[in-house]
Amino acid sequence: MRITHYSTFQKFFHKPSFKSSTKPRLFRAYSFVPFSPLAMLDPTILTIGGIVLGIAIIERILERWGVMDLVDQFAKIMRFILPVTFYSALIYFFATFMF
């Protein structure tokens, strides 16, 4: 003859466990996005920025000297060059930066 044992759900799942089933392992965590602000110090981007900054300083010096015709020519050129330079440097930065 068989003996049937009845147990409740709480008794079955809430048994005290004295031994851990998994061992804690040491592991090294690495960042998957190695972004650093020093990545902006790329020589190509710094050169392009220096050229644009130099043209803007020359434009201000010419404005102080009173050569307004030349300043207007610089302003017309810079109106085209600044957006092109910005977007090309941005594309270059993201194309050469390894994510």
Side-chain angles (χ1 to χ4, degrees):
M1 185 180 219
R2 291 186 178 181
I3 300 174
T4 307
H5 291 102
Y6 292 101
S7 68
T8 63
F9 182 78
Q10 286 82 11
K11 278 187 179 179
F12 183 74
F13 277 105
H14 291 289
K15 292 180 182 177
S17 175
F18 298 109
K19 186 178 177 184
S20 175
S21 61
T22 60
K23 292 181 180 179
R25 291 185 289 158
L26 297 176
F27 64 96
R28 294 182 181 169
Y30 296 101
S31 173
F32 291 107
V33 183
F35 182 75
S36 170
L38 296 177
M40 296 294 284
L41 296 177
D42 184 36
T44 306
I45 293 179
L46 288 177
T47 303
I48 293 171
I51 290 170
V52 171
L53 187 62
I55 291 172
I57 290 172
I58 290 171
E59 183 181 353
R60 293 298 171 209
I61 290 172
L62 290 175
E63 186 179 0
R64 283 189 183 179
W65 288 350
V67 189
M68 296 312 257
D69 186 40
L70 214 53
V71 171
D72 289 337
Q73 294 298 324
F74 268 107
K76 287 178 186 175
I77 293 171
M78 292 301 284
R79 200 172 294 144
F80 173 73
I81 289 179
L82 281 177
V84 170
T85 306
F86 172 74
Y87 289 118
S88 62
L90 193 66
I91 290 170
Y92 172 79
F93 175 72
F94 283 116
T96 59
F97 184 68
M98 296 299 291
F99 284 103

